[in-house]
Amino acid sequence: ERQTGHPGGSLSVCEILTNLYFNDANISPENINDRSRDKIVLCKGHAAPMLYLELAEKGFFPMEEMHSLRQINSRLQGHPCSKETPGVEASTGPLGAGYPFALGMALSDMHDGVDAYTYAILGDGEINEGVVWETCMNASKFKADRLISILDWNGVQLDGTTEQIMPMGDIELKFKAFGYNTIVCDGHNVAALSAAIETAKSVKGVPSIILAKTVKGKGISFMEGKNTWHGAPVKDADYEAAMKELGFTDVFEVAIGADLCAEQEAEDFIKEVPEKLPFMATSCCPAWSVMAKKTLPEYAHYISMSLTPMVLTARMIKKQHPECKVVFIGPCAAKKLEASRHSVRSDVDFVLTFE
């Protein structure tokens, strides 16, 4: 929607972050101020869009806020800001800067006897930075076994492949030489990632790093392995092509239904106000309508009964393609209720929400 952000690196780190937030890391909005929580530091801060999606799904802020990505005065800027964004442990963006921060958190917890882990997610372009290896020396010296690092090992950075820009040789041997326990796994396999984390936790006295083999732009063929998608905006045509590649025949904006809804509401208003009703309340959300009718029953007949944008769009599609299956994709869980209710035929077959 905003056509901004870093899609390539966000897609390569998807399973890594999802596994941490929903499987292995002890972190939630409820314990975010608890010292014993686990900490997650996205050192490769440009993958902020995926971090924000995980945080929203976890409940740190409303999913609807994702629409404000990288806009003026938004809490969701192009790189994470711990002062503004709930759930963000460290402000990152300058490559390498987040890693010593993560080590400091881990060492602080270890010094105070806090039973917690710190997870640091690095980019393989990021490990060109000298500060990463200075951090490794310190992590090894101070036996930081509560620091679990994960390398998003996709082999591509801003201007080309990692081999073209700055060849690093045998990365696993390099980390071993700095005193690290190393584990190699498929970075897009959640079970493999979780098993690697369990292995890392079992190793005592040395820091561990998981070298997670990933693909930049994973899941979209024209993005995969391409450095041009490091920070390129996803245009409308790109979005439609990606959705079709994922199995959808066509893509329709619900905004079409919003226009139809506005027309219906305008007709209702002209017919009813002010001759029959002093005012008319409208909302594209059926959940709001139900709530309003329950809490203010005396005003129930003042609420417009026009169909919602989702329903109007689905009916338009079904009229054109009677045998098709309509899938609604959006941020609101209330759409599931709207699609399944019996009082109004929705014509929506499946609902996928971000919550």
Side-chain angles (χ1 to χ4, degrees):
E1 177 184 339
R2 293 302 179 187
Q3 298 188 359
T4 184
H6 291 76
S10 293
L11 289 172
S12 67
V13 82
C14 174
E15 289 85 357
I16 293 171
L17 286 174
T18 300
N19 178 66
L20 285 175
Y21 278 103
F22 291 92
N23 287 338
D24 288 316
N26 174 30
I27 185 169
S28 69
E30 291 72 33
N31 73 357
I32 192 61
N33 294 315
D34 187 340
R35 178 78 185 276
S36 65
R37 76 188 184 283
D38 290 337
K39 292 87 179 169
I40 299 173
V41 177
L42 182 66
C43 302
K44 45 169 287 180
H46 54 275
M50 188 57 66
L51 173 64
Y52 297 152
L53 180 58
E54 304 291 351
L55 291 173
E57 288 195 357
K58 196 73 178 177
F60 282 94
F61 51 80
M63 182 61 70
E64 288 75 14
E65 204 165 329
M66 289 295 294
H67 295 290
S68 70
L69 177 67
R70 282 187 116 181
Q71 302 306 297
I72 297 295
N73 297 322
S74 169
R75 296 192 294 180
L76 310 184
Q77 285 303 309
H79 294 79
C81 177
S82 59
K83 289 184 65 177
E84 299 291 335
T85 312
V88 171
E89 297 282 2
S91 297
T92 56
L95 296 180
Y99 200 35
F101 194 101
L103 173 60
M105 297 174 90
L107 291 177
S108 176
D109 284 346
M110 291 173 65
H111 179 272
D112 294 344
V114 177
D115 184 18
Y117 286 91
T118 298
Y119 298 92
I121 297 94
L122 295 155
D124 52 3
E126 182 175 25
I127 62 173
N128 294 163
E129 303 288 347
V131 67
V132 169
W133 301 101
E134 291 178 43
T135 304
C136 290
M137 287 190 289
N138 281 276
S140 181
K141 174 185 177 180
F142 294 109
K143 300 178 172 57
D145 54 17
R146 289 285 171 147
L147 173 68
I148 297 179
S149 307
I150 304 175
L151 181 68
D152 180 12
W153 199 4
N154 62 44
V156 181
Q157 54 193 101
L158 173 61
D159 294 321
T161 68
T162 52
E163 284 301 303
Q164 290 171 328
I165 304 304
M166 184 58 66
M168 295 295 290
D170 192 319
I171 292 177
E172 184 176 11
L173 282 180
K174 272 189 169 59
F175 279 104
K176 283 182 180 292
F178 276 78
Y180 272 60
N181 168 57
T182 61
I183 306 159
V184 180
C185 78
D186 180 350
H188 295 300
N189 186 314
V190 171
L193 285 164
S194 194
I197 288 171
E198 285 305 307
T199 299
K201 288 180 176 179
S202 71
V203 176
K204 306 301 179 185
V206 296
S208 289
I209 185 165
I210 298 167
L211 305 176
K213 293 184 176 180
T214 59
V215 178
K216 201 179 191 80
K218 175 67 175 178
I220 308 300
S221 65
F222 58 83
M223 290 187 184
E224 288 190 350
K226 306 286 179 57
N227 71 288
T228 49
W229 285 102
H230 177 86
V234 179
K235 304 290 187 183
D236 289 343
D238 300 323
Y239 172 75
E240 288 194 18
M243 295 303 289
K244 288 179 180 179
E245 196 171 289
L246 293 174
F248 296 96
T249 304
D250 210 340
V251 180
F252 294 84
E253 287 286 343
V254 179
I256 298 171
D259 291 341
L260 296 173
C261 178
E263 288 179 14
Q264 282 196 2
E265 289 175 342
E267 289 178 8
D268 288 349
F269 186 88
I270 292 170
K271 289 177 183 176
E272 304 290 334
V273 180
E275 284 79 8
K276 299 178 182 179
L277 299 174
F279 67 90
M280 179 174 287
T282 67
S283 174
C284 65
C285 177
W288 178 87
S289 298
V290 171
M291 179 198 71
K293 289 173 183 177
K294 285 184 176 180
T295 56
L296 300 167
E298 66 273 25
Y299 296 112
H301 60 291
Y302 294 173
I303 298 173
S304 172
M305 295 303 293
S306 63
L307 296 173
T308 66
M310 183 184 80
V311 172
L312 287 167
T313 305
R315 289 192 178 183
M316 179 195 72
I317 296 169
K318 288 281 191 178
K319 188 174 181 180
Q320 297 173 5
H321 310 281
E323 302 302 317
C324 77
K325 297 293 184 183
V326 176
V327 181
F328 173 84
I329 303 175
C332 182
K335 296 301 179 185
K336 293 180 180 179
L337 297 175
E338 181 183 356
S340 62
R341 62 181 177 167
H342 300 293
S343 58
V344 178
R345 191 186 83 251
S346 72
D347 279 343
V348 175
D349 299 287
F350 303 98
V351 174
L352 299 175
T353 69
F354 307 147
E355 297 180 337

